[in-house]
Amino acid sequence: MDTSPLSDSAAEQLFETLFTDQEGDTFKVADQLATCTQPWVREKLLTLLSDERYDIQYLAARAISRMPTRQEVLPQIFEAIHAHQNQGRNGAMVEILEEFDLSDHFVDILRLYLFGGFKVLQIAKELLDFTEFDITPRVIKKAEKHWKHYQNNSPRNDEYEMKRREVEQIFTDLKAMFTEGEME
């Protein structure tokens, strides 16, 4: 397998194939784009996270998640995930989060759990359960603000009760890591 960097024209051709190939193996095209080292390729993939075509959005997310420099763009990925125009269709972006170091993003993942659709909620719950986060009292306070916002703006139904039990247990477990004086 050739591991030499792709030229700009080769990368441009890959994007063209990504946009026009209806029956080809677009997963391979996305994986090839992930090997591109040119900053403009990564930037173009980031803009495609807001593309109205879900398949293009998914392929861009896939390519970004396989780039060696993916950690550098995690803030932009969270921005795209939380963008209003992506609500209800951000599952592909949330799915790729498994490829990142999320240790500093407990609050972002909790927000996805609280406010995401079914697929996003399921992925976020798994991330909450199996990611080792860097937790501080300040992180807990920020997370509690989002929990209060959810409580104040959600109907009291079965979903709310399930989340209430889960989130209260999470906060109990997190607060147990600190003394009462540290939590103030």
Side-chain angles (χ1 to χ4, degrees):
M1 183 173 150
D2 183 17
T3 58
S4 59
L6 293 173
S7 67
D8 283 349
S9 62
E12 288 170 5
Q13 184 59 48
L14 287 172
F15 276 113
E16 185 64 31
T17 303
L18 195 67
F19 296 134
T20 60
D21 194 355
Q22 300 299 315
E23 296 182 26
D25 197 349
T26 52
F27 289 138
K28 285 184 181 177
V29 172
D31 292 346
Q32 286 179 297
L33 283 168
T35 67
C36 293
T37 58
Q38 299 94 321
W40 73 266
V41 171
R42 187 175 71 181
E43 291 306 313
K44 185 166 185 168
L45 288 168
L46 285 168
T47 64
L48 293 176
L49 293 178
S50 295
D51 195 277
E52 61 189 30
R53 296 165 291 183
Y54 185 77
D55 57 333
I56 297 295
Q57 190 182 51
Y58 177 81
L59 293 167
R62 176 186 173 103
I64 291 168
S65 74
R66 293 164 187 245
M67 292 183 129
T69 58
R70 67 185 167 270
Q71 198 66 33
E72 296 171 16
V73 296
L74 187 55
Q76 290 100 315
I77 291 171
F78 274 116
E79 187 178 305
I81 287 170
H82 295 303
H84 182 70
Q85 73 267 20
N86 287 329
Q87 295 304 307
R89 57 185 208 107
N90 58 5
M93 290 181 280
V94 174
E95 194 174 296
I96 70 165
L97 291 176
E98 296 170 350
E99 303 297 325
F100 291 84
D101 173 5
L102 299 172
S103 58
D104 291 329
H105 295 277
F106 173 78
V107 174
D108 288 309
I109 302 302
L110 182 68
R111 282 180 62 197
L112 293 173
Y113 175 71
L114 293 174
F115 300 107
F118 183 75
K119 180 179 181 179
V120 170
L121 180 146
Q122 296 302 318
I123 296 168
K125 178 63 173 123
E126 187 173 316
L127 291 169
L128 286 170
D129 288 345
F130 296 106
T131 301
E132 190 170 320
F133 293 103
D134 293 333
I135 301 296
T136 64
R138 184 169 186 254
V139 167
I140 295 171
K141 287 185 188 312
K142 284 179 156 182
E144 287 178 321
K145 285 183 182 180
H146 290 289
W147 171 235
K148 285 183 184 1
H149 177 73
Y150 178 82
Q151 287 177 306
N152 292 331
N153 295 291
S154 298
R156 301 303 191 258
N157 55 24
D158 291 342
E159 179 183 356
Y160 173 86
E161 284 304 313
M162 178 206 57
K163 285 182 181 179
R164 184 189 59 75
R165 286 190 301 275
E166 291 277 345
V167 171
E168 286 178 357
Q169 185 60 54
I170 288 170
F171 284 137
T172 299
D173 294 344
L174 292 178
K175 288 177 181 179
M177 297 180 348
F178 301 96
T179 65
E180 194 167 314
E182 292 174 309
M183 287 304 299
E184 293 175 0

